[in-house]
Amino acid sequence: MSSLLRKLPAVEQVLQHAEIEALLAQLPRDVVLDQIRQMLAAWRGLLLKGQLPFPDYEGCPDVISRLVQQVKENFLEVTRPRLRRLINATGVVLHTNLGRAVLAPTAIEAVITAASGYTNLELDLSTGKRGSRYAHVENLLTLITGAEAAMVVNNNAAAVLLCLSTLARGKEVIVSRGQLVEIGGSFRIPEVMEQSGAVLVEVGATNKTYLRDYERAITPQTALLLQVHTSNYRIVGFTRETTLAELVELGQKTGLPVMCDLGSGFLVDMRHLGLPYEPAVPEVVASGVDIVTFSGDKLLGGPQAGIIVGKRIYIEKMRQNPLTRALRIDKLTVAALEATLREYLPGTPKLTNIPTYRMLAMSRDEHRRRAEELAALLEEAAGGRAGVELLEGSSAVGGGAMPLAELPATLIGVKPFHLSVSELAANLRRGEPAVLGRVQDDRLLFDVRTLLKGEEILLAAALAAALTRSEAVE
Ligand SMILES: *Cc1c(COP(=O)(O)O)cnc(C)c1O
């Protein structure tokens, strides 16, 4: 052991290496020194545990060079762009970990325009006076949803927080027990409620809540009746939830506002795509609800944003809440959202310009045809190192929307012969571009639904590389 430890160079020796001297010309000495010390400490730690820093450490004549190489690679890794484009072959259309919706070409164009010059973000060009950044999307939102007024914040979690804080701070909000959900990434209704300063009043049971449960819970302290879409979660069987129409009627009778957190919230009926019935935003607005909130980057297919539509008196109050300033959207979001919403304008159906919509709308035949084409490409790329076959399965909407929706799909299963499926998945994830599929038993599944133009060729090249990279670095 001590002879192994003696092979570790001293910091001074490493510093004198020509390649480190070159690094010192680009980076502060402290940073380089720190990195060398860390590497040495890590290697020492391994040796003390009886492990070698690299397989032929004992017989290696040039341990310093190996260490220098490692230090350089670490610096390269740090300076390399971290947020990268990747290929989503999972078939999950709205994948929160993968950035949810891919923007429409018009939205991308709008972002580039807004980013590369000055804009009238908060300037009213007709009067020369200060304008509102929300004005760029408010008219579009009211036109499309039928609501009186609209505003937009950073994401839907922020929208819910702002609504609760504005309408019910220090007061009570009545929610059904069946709707106290957690929606990934720690968005939990009871916790958001607490942050907003509103007091949660739970009514009913997990599986059944009746209108009379709400009625009984109303006190002079009540400020709001809230309905939350259970998004990624369903209670099936012996269940009952109060309908929105019933809540609206109760709200009108008691003078209490009714709010609906729709979550995904889509602007058009999706039943023609074979998706289950859920009311679209215009239908929810038409039911007489006072406030509706939903995400910009879920089924709407736009940028991350939290959209609030509803009665003008409430939206006005929200604008005046100091929280609004902290939750405000930036100009790139305004640009992308405005362009995305334009695709929904009545009379000009251009929904197929929105990638999210197009992916969901892919016909069974097109899906099968593209899967067959990709399978042929992958078969060739595998070059006998993996079995490639077509399987029937399904894609998913994702984003916490429609968890039970089945989107029939023809999947491509790749079964590697010389690697485990998790090694293959790791190699693909670490490649450039990274590729994500779904691991199922001893196969890696690829779904063409979420592939964008030109990605088939890249995927095939990535598979060829991943299958030949034999040692998967763990
Ligand atoms: C997704 C979701 C949220 C959170 O929306 P973000 O835009 O991700 O902040 C809130 N409520 C419901 C019901 C949701 O489905």
Side-chain angles (χ1 to χ4, degrees):
M1 172 57 63
S2 62
S3 77
L4 286 180
L5 279 171
R6 262 199 303 278
K7 277 197 87 147
L8 275 186
V11 177
E12 293 312 315
Q13 282 175 285
V14 182
L15 273 175
Q16 278 158 24
H17 195 281
E19 296 200 48
I20 294 292
E21 288 191 336
L23 261 189
L24 284 171
Q26 300 163 36
L27 294 161
R29 189 181 163 85
D30 283 355
V31 174
V32 178
L33 207 58
D34 195 47
Q35 181 58 227
I36 294 172
R37 289 205 176 108
Q38 277 184 30
M39 282 303 310
L40 281 170
W43 283 21
R44 185 173 298 114
L46 284 173
L47 289 167
L48 288 174
K49 276 197 291 184
Q51 292 163 10
L52 297 177
F54 51 90
D56 58 342
Y57 177 84
E58 269 189 271
C60 179
D62 201 359
V63 169
I64 293 190
S65 295
R66 289 295 286 264
L67 190 115
V68 167
Q69 216 43 50
Q70 189 72 56
V71 168
K72 275 182 62 185
E73 272 168 28
N74 288 357
F75 275 120
L76 269 181
E77 189 56 39
V78 173
T79 50
R80 191 171 160 211
R82 249 196 81 94
L83 183 65
R84 290 177 228 157
R85 171 96 181 248
L86 60 71
I87 295 178
N88 173 13
T90 63
V92 180
V93 177
L94 297 165
H95 200 307
T96 299
N97 299 0
L98 308 186
R100 291 193 187 156
V102 174
L103 295 183
T106 50
I108 295 167
E109 196 62 41
V111 169
I112 294 172
T113 305
S116 36
Y118 296 103
T119 60
N120 60 335
L121 182 66
E122 290 191 352
L123 180 71
D124 184 334
L125 289 172
S126 59
T127 62
K129 296 221 172 75
R130 185 176 174 158
S132 153
R133 67 179 60 212
Y134 308 109
H136 306 286
V137 288
E138 177 168 10
N139 284 347
L140 283 168
L141 280 168
T142 54
L143 210 64
I144 296 166
T145 65
E148 277 178 18
M151 73 171 290
V152 182
V153 288
N154 241 315
N155 52 28
N156 189 34
V160 174
L161 179 69
L162 178 63
C163 292
L164 292 176
S165 155
T166 308
L167 303 179
R169 185 171 195 82
K171 296 263 188 72
E172 293 174 355
V173 178
I174 306 178
V175 191
S176 158
R177 282 209 168 81
Q179 297 169 5
L180 296 177
V181 292
E182 169 174 322
I183 295 142
S186 77
F187 177 87
R188 284 183 176 168
I189 285 295
E191 286 165 20
V192 176
M193 193 80 78
E194 200 181 311
Q195 283 298 317
S196 73
V199 179
L200 171 67
V201 177
E202 305 171 27
V203 296
T206 309
N207 60 333
K208 291 212 174 201
T209 304
Y210 300 92
L211 190 63
R212 59 172 186 270
D213 295 319
Y214 289 85
E215 275 168 327
R216 277 191 212 127
I218 293 175
T219 72
Q221 281 310 301
T222 308
L224 185 69
L225 306 175
L226 173 64
Q227 188 183 72
V228 182
H229 194 295
T230 55
S231 294
N232 51 5
Y233 162 86
R234 290 288 179 278
I235 302 176
V236 289
F238 188 56
T239 64
R240 183 167 193 307
E241 274 295 358
T242 307
T243 65
L244 212 44
E246 288 174 311
L247 276 189
V248 168
E249 206 184 313
L250 181 61
Q252 278 159 0
K253 214 166 71 187
T254 55
L256 290 168
V258 177
M259 167 176 160
C260 176
D261 172 18
L262 261 187
S264 200
F266 38 100
L267 299 178
V268 290
D269 195 329
M270 297 262 186
R271 268 176 294 184
H272 63 289
L273 303 181
L275 291 170
Y277 168 72
E278 284 199 24
V281 179
E283 196 180 330
V284 176
V285 168
S287 75
V289 169
D290 298 278
I291 298 289
V292 186
T293 65
F294 53 100
S295 289
D297 56 351
K298 290 186 181 171
L299 281 168
L300 197 147
Q304 179 188 305
I307 300 170
I308 309 171
V309 298
K311 305 266 165 72
R312 186 174 306 282
I313 44 162
Y314 301 117
I315 303 273
E316 278 306 326
K317 276 192 192 152
M318 290 180 209
R319 291 225 170 95
Q320 279 148 30
N321 187 327
L323 253 186
T324 297
R325 177 63 170 78
L327 305 176
R328 82 177 184 188
I329 49 168
D330 85 318
K331 63 179 179 184
L332 302 185
T333 308
V334 174
L337 187 61
E338 181 186 1
T340 307
L341 290 171
R342 285 188 168 284
E343 306 287 9
Y344 284 93
L345 278 180
T348 49
K350 289 176 288 184
L351 288 178
T352 47
N353 291 341
I354 298 176
T356 301
Y357 183 88
R358 212 172 44 235
M359 289 173 188
L360 293 171
M362 190 184 287
S363 74
R364 193 73 197 86
D365 284 348
E366 187 192 348
H367 197 285
R368 189 175 295 114
R369 181 181 56 73
R370 286 187 53 188
E372 283 165 2
E373 283 169 15
L374 179 61
L377 275 180
L378 296 187
E379 178 88 57
E380 197 182 324
R385 292 187 185 84
V388 176
E389 61 194 321
L390 290 168
L391 307 152
E392 292 307 306
S394 58
S395 321
V397 176
M402 303 186 174
L404 304 182
E406 289 268 324
L407 291 163
T410 305
L411 306 173
I412 301 145
V414 174
K415 196 169 171 176
F417 297 144
H418 310 294
L419 295 173
S420 71
V421 68
S422 60
E423 283 169 333
L424 176 62
N427 282 349
L428 281 167
R429 215 172 48 237
R430 292 178 180 130
E432 186 63 55
V435 174
L436 270 87
R438 266 189 276 164
V439 174
Q440 191 179 77
D441 305 323
D442 55 353
R443 287 194 196 89
L444 193 56
L445 301 181
F446 296 121
D447 186 336
V448 293
R449 188 181 300 275
T450 45
L451 292 186
L452 297 162
K453 207 172 170 182
E455 287 186 338
E456 278 89 348
I457 291 286
L458 296 174
L459 201 163
L463 180 68
L467 283 169
T468 43
R469 210 177 314 138
S470 54
E471 46 174 303
V473 252
E474 218 16 271

